[in-house]
Structure formats: C-alpha cells, structure tokens
Amino acid sequence: MKNKYMEEALKEAKKSFDMEEIPVGAVIVCNDEIIARAHNLKEHNKCATAHAEILAIEQACKKIGDWRLNDCTLYVTLEPCLMCCGALLQARIKKIVYAAANAKFGYVESIDKLLSNSKNNHIVEIQKVDCPECLDLLQQFFQKKRSSTLISKSKSV
C-alpha cells in the first residue's frame, strides 16, 4: 500500500479490530492535512450510526466550523453503506477513496452508485484503491467471529 492517507485509515481500522468492532477506519483530508480520523464504534457506543465515516464527518465539521466539506476527501477502508453515503452527500464531500468493496452493504459501487447518481445535486468523485491489508483485516475479523460463534454453540450443546 502506497497511499499514506489509506495507511492512516487502516490504523484506525486496527483500533476497531482490537475493540472487537468491525474493522473500518476513516480519515478526512483537507489541503493535504488530516482534519478528522475515526473508526467503527457501533458496539462500543451502542449506537447504530457510530460508523467510522459518520464519526469522521462529525469531527471534520467541528474542525472547520461548517457542515460543508466541499474541499475534503474521505479515505475509508471499506466501501460505505447507504447511511454513510447519504451523510457524505449531505456533507458535500468532494471525493471518496475506498479500499475494500462491500458486496452486502456498499452503496458507492457494489449495490448501487448512490454518490454518482445524476439526480443528486452533488456528485462525489470516487476512487477505489488496491489495499490488500484492509481486506485481510476484515477477513481476519469475520473468521475470528465465526470461529468464536462455533465454539460457543458447541459448548452450549
């Protein structure tokens, strides 16, 4: 991986992994400076909206003092879901760079192309980057989750 901002997003994803959260990390960059960084905290916060992207958007808005992130780029380790895509449109984010496709919940390109829909009054530039480390971390998480579920089921029998 050669993208320094995706490396920072991966560091955030690793924090989620260590907390037994789905390992997704995000950073928001403006003028070549990271202005926000976050990782999934859905389980920790007991809140369905505590996705890395949403938390990063909230931080970035506070940092710049505006809800419009017109000149900002989001780097995220996993393709955003429908909720996060909606928040990215509302925040007027300029560009999104993501690593792993999300076949079950991804609304950037996998299920639908919400951010590039011509009916939107704001179109987001999209870039997918190759980052095997992001995919590996997600796969490790779900393998660990599945094996612990199998172990707990076999103990209860």
Side-chain angles (χ1 to χ4, degrees):
M1 175 176 38
K2 295 178 182 172
N3 186 303
K4 68 181 179 179
Y5 298 124
M6 190 58 75
E7 287 178 11
E8 292 301 313
L10 181 58
K11 287 179 187 176
E12 290 298 315
K14 288 177 181 176
K15 291 177 185 177
S16 288
F17 183 88
D18 292 341
M19 297 175 73
E20 298 184 6
E21 296 269 358
I22 295 175
V24 178
V27 297
I28 295 179
V29 175
C30 188
N31 299 322
D32 290 324
E33 176 190 349
I34 294 175
I35 62 168
R37 57 177 66 237
H39 53 276
N40 272 1
L41 290 172
K42 190 172 165 179
E43 297 294 334
H44 182 78
N45 289 1
K46 307 287 186 240
C47 180
T49 61
H51 289 201
E53 302 94 324
I54 301 288
L55 299 172
I57 289 169
E58 290 173 356
Q59 276 183 34
C61 290
K62 286 178 185 170
K63 173 87 175 181
I64 67 170
D66 195 354
W67 61 269
R68 294 172 194 88
L69 303 176
N70 295 323
D71 297 321
C72 299
T73 300
L74 169 77
Y75 293 83
V76 63
T77 58
L78 180 65
E79 179 183 4
C81 70
L82 179 60
M83 173 183 69
C84 292
C85 285
L88 291 164
L89 284 171
Q90 290 296 318
R92 308 293 194 268
I93 200 107
K94 180 180 180 179
K95 181 178 180 180
I96 175 175
V97 179
Y98 74 96
N102 186 349
K104 290 186 178 183
F105 296 103
Y107 273 81
V108 174
E109 295 178 304
S110 292
I111 295 173
D112 200 354
K113 297 180 181 200
L114 184 64
L115 300 179
S116 56
N117 186 323
S118 62
K119 292 179 182 176
N120 295 333
N121 65 344
H122 176 72
I123 302 295
V124 179
E125 184 182 336
I126 298 161
Q127 181 183 357
K128 185 173 184 318
V129 296
D130 186 37
C131 180
E133 297 95 330
C134 295
L135 183 57
D136 289 346
L137 190 63
L138 285 157
Q139 289 172 336
Q140 285 176 40
F141 175 81
F142 286 109
Q143 285 171 353
K144 182 180 171 185
K145 196 87 164 153
R146 279 187 219 104
S147 67
S148 67
T149 302
L150 289 173
I151 291 168
S152 63
K153 282 183 179 179
S154 67
K155 286 183 179 179
S156 64
V157 174

